[in-house]
Coordinates of all heavy atoms in Angstrom, one line a residue:
L15 N -34.3 -18.4 17.6 CA -35.5 -18.3 18.5 C -36.7 -18.9 18.0 O -37.5 -19.6 18.7 CB -35.7 -16.8 18.7 CG -34.6 -16.0 19.4 CD1 -35.0 -14.5 19.4 CD2 -34.5 -16.5 20.8
V16 N -37.0 -18.8 16.7 CA -38.2 -19.5 16.1 C -38.1 -21.0 16.2 O -39.0 -21.7 16.6 CB -38.3 -19.0 14.6 CG1 -39.4 -19.9 13.9 CG2 -38.6 -17.6 14.5
A17 N -36.9 -21.5 15.9 CA -36.7 -23.0 16.0 C -36.8 -23.5 17.4 O -37.5 -24.5 17.6 CB -35.3 -23.3 15.4
A18 N -36.3 -22.7 18.3 CA -36.4 -23.2 19.7 C -37.9 -23.1 20.2 O -38.3 -24.1 20.9 CB -35.6 -22.2 20.6
A19 N -38.6 -22.1 19.8 CA -40.0 -22.0 20.2 C -40.8 -23.1 19.6 O -41.7 -23.7 20.2 CB -40.6 -20.6 19.8
Y20 N -40.5 -23.5 18.3 CA -41.2 -24.5 17.6 C -41.0 -25.9 18.3 O -41.9 -26.7 18.5 CB -40.7 -24.6 16.2 CG -41.3 -25.8 15.4 CD1 -42.7 -25.8 15.0 CD2 -40.5 -26.9 15.1 CE1 -43.2 -26.9 14.4 CE2 -41.0 -28.0 14.4 CZ -42.4 -28.0 14.1 OH -42.9 -29.0 13.4
L21 N -39.8 -26.1 18.7 CA -39.5 -27.4 19.4 C -40.2 -27.5 20.7 O -40.6 -28.6 21.2 CB -38.0 -27.5 19.6 CG -37.1 -27.7 18.4 CD1 -35.6 -27.7 18.7 CD2 -37.5 -29.1 17.7
E22 N -40.4 -26.4 21.4 CA -41.1 -26.4 22.7 C -42.6 -26.7 22.6 O -43.2 -27.4 23.4 CB -40.9 -25.0 23.4 CG -39.5 -24.8 23.9 CD -39.1 -25.7 25.0 OE1 -40.0 -26.1 25.8 OE2 -37.9 -26.1 25.1
V23 N -43.3 -26.2 21.5 CA -44.7 -26.3 21.4 C -45.2 -27.4 20.4 O -46.3 -27.6 20.2 CB -45.3 -25.0 21.1 CG1 -45.0 -23.9 22.1 CG2 -44.9 -24.5 19.7
K24 N -44.2 -28.0 19.7 CA -44.6 -28.9 18.6 C -45.4 -30.1 19.1 O -45.0 -30.8 20.1 CB -43.3 -29.5 18.0 CG -43.6 -30.5 16.9 CD -42.3 -31.1 16.4 CE -42.5 -32.2 15.4 NZ -41.3 -32.9 15.0
P25 N -46.7 -30.3 18.6 CA -47.5 -31.5 19.0 C -46.8 -32.8 18.7 O -46.1 -32.9 17.7 CB -48.8 -31.3 18.3 CG -48.4 -30.5 17.0 CD -47.3 -29.6 17.5
V26 N -47.1 -33.8 19.5 CA -46.5 -35.1 19.3 C -47.5 -36.0 18.6 O -48.7 -36.1 19.1 CB -46.1 -35.7 20.7 CG1 -45.6 -37.1 20.5 CG2 -45.1 -34.8 21.4
D27 N -47.1 -36.6 17.6 CA -48.0 -37.6 16.8 C -47.8 -39.0 17.4 O -46.7 -39.5 17.4 CB -47.5 -37.5 15.3 CG -48.4 -38.4 14.4 OD1 -49.2 -39.2 15.0 OD2 -48.3 -38.2 13.2
P28 N -48.9 -39.6 17.8 CA -48.8 -41.0 18.4 C -48.1 -42.0 17.4 O -47.3 -42.8 17.8 CB -50.2 -41.4 18.6 CG -51.0 -40.1 18.8 CD -50.3 -39.1 17.9
A29 N -48.4 -41.9 16.1 CA -47.8 -42.8 15.2 C -46.3 -42.5 15.1 O -45.5 -43.5 15.0 CB -48.4 -42.5 13.8
E30 N -45.9 -41.3 15.3 CA -44.5 -41.0 15.4 C -43.8 -41.6 16.6 O -42.7 -42.2 16.5 CB -44.3 -39.5 15.4 CG -42.8 -39.1 15.3 CD -42.7 -37.5 15.4 OE1 -43.7 -36.8 15.4 OE2 -41.5 -37.1 15.4
L31 N -44.6 -41.6 17.7 CA -44.0 -42.2 18.9 C -43.9 -43.7 18.7 O -42.9 -44.3 19.2 CB -45.0 -42.0 20.1 CG -44.9 -40.6 20.7 CD1 -46.0 -40.4 21.8 CD2 -43.5 -40.3 21.3
A32 N -44.9 -44.3 18.1 CA -44.8 -45.8 17.8 C -43.6 -46.1 16.9 O -43.0 -47.1 17.2 CB -46.1 -46.2 17.1
G33 N -43.4 -45.3 16.0 CA -42.3 -45.5 15.1 C -41.0 -45.4 15.8 O -40.0 -46.2 15.6
R34 N -40.9 -44.5 16.8 CA -39.7 -44.3 17.5 C -39.4 -45.4 18.5 O -38.3 -45.7 18.9 CB -39.8 -43.0 18.3 CG -39.7 -41.7 17.4 CD -39.7 -40.5 18.3 NE -39.7 -39.3 17.5 CZ -39.7 -38.1 17.9 NH1 -39.7 -37.9 19.2 NH2 -39.7 -37.0 17.1
S35 N -40.5 -46.1 18.9 CA -40.3 -47.2 19.8 C -39.6 -48.4 19.2 O -39.0 -49.2 19.9 CB -41.6 -47.7 20.4 OG -42.4 -48.3 19.3
R36 N -39.6 -48.4 17.8 CA -38.9 -49.5 17.2 C -37.5 -49.1 16.6 O -36.9 -49.9 16.0 CB -39.8 -50.0 16.0 CG -41.1 -50.6 16.4 CD -41.9 -51.1 15.2 NE -42.3 -50.1 14.3 CZ -43.4 -49.5 14.4 NH1 -44.3 -49.8 15.3 NH2 -43.8 -48.5 13.5
A37 N -37.1 -47.9 16.9 CA -35.8 -47.5 16.4 C -35.2 -46.5 17.4 O -35.9 -45.9 18.1 CB -36.0 -46.8 15.0
A38 N -33.9 -46.4 17.3 CA -33.2 -45.4 18.2 C -33.7 -44.0 17.8 O -33.7 -43.7 16.6 CB -31.7 -45.6 18.0
V39 N -34.0 -43.2 18.8 CA -34.4 -41.9 18.5 C -33.2 -40.9 18.5 O -32.5 -40.9 19.5 CB -35.4 -41.4 19.6 CG1 -35.9 -40.0 19.3 CG2 -36.6 -42.3 19.6
A40 N -33.0 -40.2 17.4 CA -31.9 -39.3 17.3 C -32.2 -38.1 18.3 O -33.3 -37.6 18.2 CB -31.7 -38.8 15.9
P41 N -31.3 -37.7 19.1 CA -31.5 -36.6 20.0 C -31.7 -35.3 19.3 O -31.1 -35.0 18.3 CB -30.3 -36.5 20.9 CG -29.2 -37.2 20.0 CD -29.9 -38.2 19.2
Q42 N -32.7 -34.5 19.8 CA -33.0 -33.2 19.1 C -31.9 -32.2 19.6 O -31.4 -32.3 20.7 CB -34.3 -32.7 19.6 CG -35.5 -33.5 19.0 CD -35.7 -33.2 17.5 OE1 -35.2 -32.2 17.0 NE2 -36.3 -34.1 16.8
P43 N -31.4 -31.4 18.7 CA -30.4 -30.4 19.1 C -31.0 -29.4 20.0 O -32.2 -29.0 20.0 CB -30.0 -29.7 17.7 CG -31.2 -29.9 16.9 CD -31.8 -31.3 17.2
S44 N -30.2 -29.0 21.0 CA -30.6 -28.1 22.0 C -30.6 -26.7 21.4 O -30.1 -26.4 20.3 CB -29.7 -28.1 23.2 OG -28.4 -27.6 22.8
A45 N -31.2 -25.7 22.1 CA -31.2 -24.4 21.7 C -29.8 -23.8 21.6 O -29.5 -23.1 20.6 CB -32.1 -23.5 22.6
A46 N -28.9 -24.2 22.5 CA -27.6 -23.7 22.5 C -26.8 -24.3 21.2 O -26.1 -23.5 20.6 CB -26.8 -24.2 23.7
E47 N -27.1 -25.6 20.9 CA -26.5 -26.1 19.7 C -27.0 -25.4 18.4 O -26.2 -25.1 17.5 CB -26.8 -27.6 19.6 CG -26.0 -28.4 20.6 CD -26.5 -29.9 20.6 OE1 -27.7 -30.2 20.3 OE2 -25.7 -30.8 20.9
L48 N -28.3 -25.1 18.4 CA -28.9 -24.4 17.2 C -28.2 -23.0 17.1 O -27.9 -22.6 16.0 CB -30.4 -24.3 17.4 CG -31.2 -25.6 17.1 CD1 -32.6 -25.3 17.4 CD2 -31.1 -25.9 15.6

Side-chain angles (χ1 to χ4, degrees):
L15 293 176
V16 172
Y20 174 72
L21 289 175
E22 290 293 329
V23 302
K24 177 185 175 183
V26 179
D27 186 344
E30 183 180 358
L31 285 175
R34 289 183 181 179
S35 66
R36 293 187 295 269
V39 179
Q42 291 289 340
S44 66
E47 290 172 329
L48 284 172

